[in-house]
Amino acid sequence: MNFRFATSFAALALTACATPQTDTLSVRSADTAPATKPVTGSAVSAADPRAEEAGRAMLAAGGNATDAAIAVMLALTVVEPQSSGIGGGGFMVRGAADGSLITYDGRETAPAGATPEWFLAEDGSVPPFSESVLSGLSVGVPGNLRLAEKAHAEHGSLPWAKLFEPAIALAREGFAVNNRLAGYLERLPERAGGNAQSRAIYYPGGEPLAAGSIVTNEKLAQSLERIASEGADAFYDPDFAGEIVQTVAQATPREGAMTLADIEGYAAKSRDGICSTYREYRICGMGPPTSGGVAVLQILGQLERFDLGALGQDSPVTWHLFVEAQRLAYADRELYLADSDFVSVPVAGLIDKGYLAQRSALIDPDLRAANVGPGRPEGAPIAIADGDEPEEKGTSHFAVVDDAGTMVSYTSTIEGPFGSGLMAHGFYLNNELTDFSRSPEVDGRLVANRVEGGKRPRSSMAPMVIWDPDGRPFMAVGAAGGTTIPVTTARAIIGVIDFDLSAEEALALPFIMSFGEAVFLEEGTWLADSQSAFETLGHTRLVVREAPIKGNAVLRENGRWVAARDPRIEVGLQVP
Ligand code: GLU
C-alpha cells in the first residue's frame, strides 16, 4: 500500500489558526434535552461561508435539507473550484426524523472504452501519479447533476431552477478569492491553469489571482443558467457534453476516451445505505462504491468494547486503540472494497457485530499488533488482491438539517485539487479515475478496484447521519481528505459520543492515523509531543505531519442545531 500524505499544496488547507489544545476545550453536554422536547431550527455547514449562505437561502425560501444541500453543491462549484463541483461526483445520505434512510450515488464512471490497463505505459509500467492525473485518462463521467436531479425529484420541494440562483449570482457578479484558493492558484499553476479556459479566469495577464481579488466566471454562470432552466438533461445532452468530450479526448493519449454516449448514459443510483449502532446511537452511511461508510462503522464497531469516555481524549491509550482499529479496517478495505456492481463486496459481513468483535479481539490496549491483515468476513470472495492508493485532496463535505429534522450529509469531489486540470464550460473536470488501482493486478491476482468500462472507482468518502438512542436526528457529518476521510469522520463521532464534545471541538481533535507501518501524528498538537508514550505502546515508526483534513457537521446540542466547520479550514481572505 502506498499512502501518500498531502504535499505542500494540500497542506494549504490548514489554517494559520492553531488547532485548539485539548486541555483548553470546554466539555459540553451534546444534548440533554428530554426525548419529548421538540427540536426545531435548521443548520447548514460547508467549507465556504458563501456556500452555507446559499443553503440557508433555500431554507429561508421554504426549501428543505435536500434543496439546501444541492444549492450548496452548486455554490461550491463556483467558490471552491479546486475541491468539488458539477464536473465531479459525490454521495448524498439523507436521514429523516422518522428514521428512514436513502443514499444517492453520483460517483463518476469510467468510459465504456476503459480497460484494466488504462493507466499503464506501453511497456506495462505504472507511470508517475501526476502523469495519470493530468490527462484525459483520469476524467470520469461526472455524476453530481444526475445525483442532484434524482434527489430533488424524490425529496426536493423548491423548483429546480431556484436551487441555482445563488451559484449563478456568485459566478456572474463575482466572488472574492479567499486565501485558500489563492494559495492553490499560486502553487499549482499546471493544474489550476491546465487549459486556456481556466488560465483566462484564474491567471489573467499570466499571474495567479491574489486573495481578495474578485473573480467572475461568466461561462460557468451561463452553464448553470442553462441547466437551471432545462434540467440536468441539458448537461448530459450532446449539445453541452460535446465540449466535455472534446476537452477530454484531446488530452487522452489512447483509444477508449470518453464519448457522448458515456455521458448520455450516465445514471445516478439510489442505494439502501448501510447502518449499525455505536453505543446505542444509530449510525448510517454510504455503501460501495465508497469504502468510507464501511470503514467508519468498522472502526467504531471495533472500539465499542473499550470505554473511551473513561479513558478520555487526553490519554495516548485512547488514540492507540483508535489507530489499532484503523489498521484493521484499512486492511479489510484494501482487500474487499470496490464497486459492488462489478465485484462482490461482503458488506454485511464486514460490518457484522460478531465479525467486528473477533477483529476487535486482535486489539491489545497495551501494545501495537505486530501484523495486521484482512479478516474473513461472511461472504468474502476469494482471489482478489489489494491495490495501490491514490493521492487525494479535492473534496468538500457539507451537512444540512431542516426544521423537520431531515439530515442531509453530502460529500462532493473532483478528486485532486482542480481535478484533472481540464476545464470545460467554466468548471473543472474531475480526475476521479485515479481512485482506481492503476495496476490491474498484484502478484498475478486481479485487484478488485481495477479499471473497467462503466465501473465506479473506489472512494473513501463517508457522509454519515446519526440518530440518538431515543431515535431522534442527532448529527450529520463527513470530511474531505481522501483516505483520511473515514478517520476524520470516526474521530468526530467519537468526540461527540464518547467525549461529549461540541461538533466543532470534535472536528478539531488532533489527527492520528495509521494503516501501514507508520503512525502519522498531527504537527503542533499534543499527540506530536507524546511520541514516547506511543513508542511505549509499540509504535516505532512515528511521523509528525501537517494534517490536510477538513470536516463539516451539524449536531443537535442542547435542543438546537449547530453547524460546525473544522477550524483547520481557512475561510478568510488575509494571507497569514
Ligand atoms: N476522490 C477521493 C475519494 O473519493 C476524495 C479525495 C479527497 O478527499 O481529496 O475518496
Side-chain angles (χ1 to χ4, degrees):
M1 188 173 7
N2 170 19
F3 172 54
R4 267 174 283 177
F5 240 85
T7 41
S8 52
F9 56 79
L12 285 169
L14 285 172
T15 139
C17 77
T19 303
Q21 296 298 303
T22 48
D23 58 1
T24 62
L25 293 176
S26 61
V27 175
R28 288 180 223 155
S29 153
D31 196 345
T32 51
T36 49
K37 184 178 167 185
V39 179
T40 54
S42 57
V44 181
S45 171
D48 190 296
R50 294 160 294 195
E52 287 179 344
E53 189 42 47
R56 280 197 296 266
M58 296 304 115
L59 296 176
N64 60 28
T66 303
D67 298 315
I70 294 169
V72 171
M73 181 275 287
L74 296 168
L76 286 172
T77 306
V78 183
V79 298
E80 206 193 24
Q82 72 273 26
S83 293
S84 66
I86 61 174
F91 299 115
M92 179 196 277
V93 176
R94 178 186 183 276
D98 64 4
S100 60
L101 175 79
I102 179 93
T103 70
Y104 293 100
D105 170 355
R107 186 69 165 167
E108 299 88 334
T109 51
T115 64
E117 295 75 31
W118 188 240
F119 285 109
L120 300 184
E122 266 178 25
D123 64 0
S125 64
V126 182
F129 185 75
S130 59
E131 230 173 74
S132 301
V133 172
L134 298 177
S135 82
L137 292 172
S138 71
V139 184
V141 179
N144 262 329
L145 281 167
R146 282 283 185 231
L147 181 164
E149 173 189 52
K150 197 169 179 59
H152 178 258
E154 291 174 14
H155 295 290
S157 65
L158 291 174
W160 169 255
K162 177 86 187 158
L163 315 183
F164 287 71
E165 284 176 5
I168 293 170
L170 285 163
R172 176 153 296 141
E173 286 152 32
F175 66 97
V177 171
N178 68 10
N179 188 43
R180 200 153 46 98
L181 175 56
Y184 277 107
L185 292 174
E186 192 177 333
R187 295 199 187 207
L188 295 174
E190 78 290 355
R191 289 186 181 222
N195 63 12
Q197 197 178 113
S198 56
R199 279 195 294 277
I201 297 170
Y202 297 112
Y203 298 84
E207 290 304 311
L209 288 174
S213 322
I214 303 296
V215 57
T216 56
N217 187 342
E218 180 55 28
K219 210 164 163 48
L220 180 54
Q222 285 174 14
S223 304
L224 291 168
E225 238 164 22
R226 185 164 164 186
I227 301 159
S229 64
E230 295 171 27
D233 279 351
F235 181 97
Y236 295 88
D237 184 86
D239 249 9
F240 189 90
E243 184 175 322
I244 300 176
V245 162
Q246 210 178 12
T247 308
V248 174
Q250 273 166 4
T252 303
R254 71 188 52 177
E255 303 229 324
M258 189 184 291
T259 62
L260 288 174
D262 288 323
I263 298 185
E264 271 185 288
Y266 181 87
K269 301 192 176 184
S270 335
R271 301 191 187 268
D272 285 343
I274 56 170
C275 294
S276 191
T277 55
Y278 180 63
R279 309 202 196 284
E280 295 178 26
Y281 287 77
R282 178 167 168 254
I283 306 191
C284 298
M286 187 85 213
T290 187
S291 61
V294 169
V296 169
L297 295 182
Q298 284 197 308
I299 291 171
L300 296 175
Q302 290 160 166
L303 288 173
E304 206 164 17
R305 75 181 170 99
F306 301 105
D307 189 349
L308 299 184
L311 280 165
Q313 58 174 305
D314 296 328
S315 163
V317 175
T318 295
W319 301 110
H320 156 74
L321 295 172
F322 187 43
V323 157
E324 293 297 277
Q326 292 171 31
R327 293 174 69 213
L328 291 163
Y330 278 84
D332 276 352
R333 169 187 183 274
E334 282 307 299
L335 187 60
Y336 297 118
L337 267 299
D339 182 352
S340 52
D341 291 342
F342 279 71
V343 297
S344 155
V345 182
V347 176
L350 285 164
I351 60 171
D352 174 74
K353 290 270 187 194
Y355 171 71
L356 292 176
Q358 278 169 33
R359 296 286 280 167
S360 178
L362 302 173
I363 299 177
D364 180 342
D366 298 322
L367 196 63
R368 171 189 174 87
N371 294 305
V372 166
R376 296 294 300 167
E378 181 79 26
I382 44 170
I384 51 174
D386 57 348
D388 64 358
E389 191 57 44
E391 267 188 4
E392 57 247 14
K393 313 308 161 257
T395 300
S396 231
H397 181 75
F398 34 100
V400 182
V401 62
D402 60 25
D403 58 14
T406 301
M407 303 174 285
V408 171
S409 206
Y410 188 168
T411 316
S412 171
T413 184
I414 51 171
E415 210 314 275
F418 307 101
S420 61
L422 300 171
M423 183 181 268
H425 292 295
F427 52 84
Y428 287 100
L429 296 169
N430 68 85
N431 67 300
E432 219 68 51
L433 302 191
T434 57
D435 273 358
F436 279 119
S437 169
R438 286 181 302 137
S439 314
E441 37 183 76
V442 171
D443 299 334
R445 294 194 303 158
L446 282 176
V447 177
N449 187 34
R450 64 189 175 276
V451 184
E452 294 180 79
K455 191 175 178 181
R456 295 165 193 236
R458 179 183 68 194
S459 169
S460 299
M461 297 190 289
M464 310 296 289
V465 293
I466 304 176
W467 289 263
D468 73 8
D470 294 311
R472 298 176 301 173
F474 181 67
M475 185 182 196
V477 61
T483 31
T484 67
I485 290 171
V487 172
T488 299
T489 307
R491 196 187 61 240
I493 295 171
I494 289 167
V496 165
I497 295 180
D498 289 297
F499 307 142
D500 222 7
L501 299 176
S502 71
E504 187 175 329
E505 290 163 341
L507 289 165
L509 282 168
F511 178 78
I512 177 167
M513 175 162 184
S514 177
F515 59 75
E517 273 307 300
V519 178
F520 297 92
L521 304 168
E522 183 177 356
E523 197 172 275
T525 67
W526 70 269
L527 288 178
D529 296 333
S530 308
Q531 295 187 46
S532 57
F534 288 103
E535 276 160 9
T536 308
L537 290 160
H539 303 283
T540 49
R541 268 198 63 200
L542 299 171
V543 181
V544 175
R545 300 293 302 259
E546 289 178 305
I549 51 178
K550 58 178 203 196
N552 287 80
V554 293
L555 175 70
R556 211 186 63 226
E557 292 179 34
N558 294 317
R560 65 190 184 100
W561 286 100
V562 175
R565 197 187 288 137
D566 189 326
R568 297 170 182 88
I569 302 176
E570 166 68 80
V571 294
L573 297 178
Q574 296 309 311
V575 179

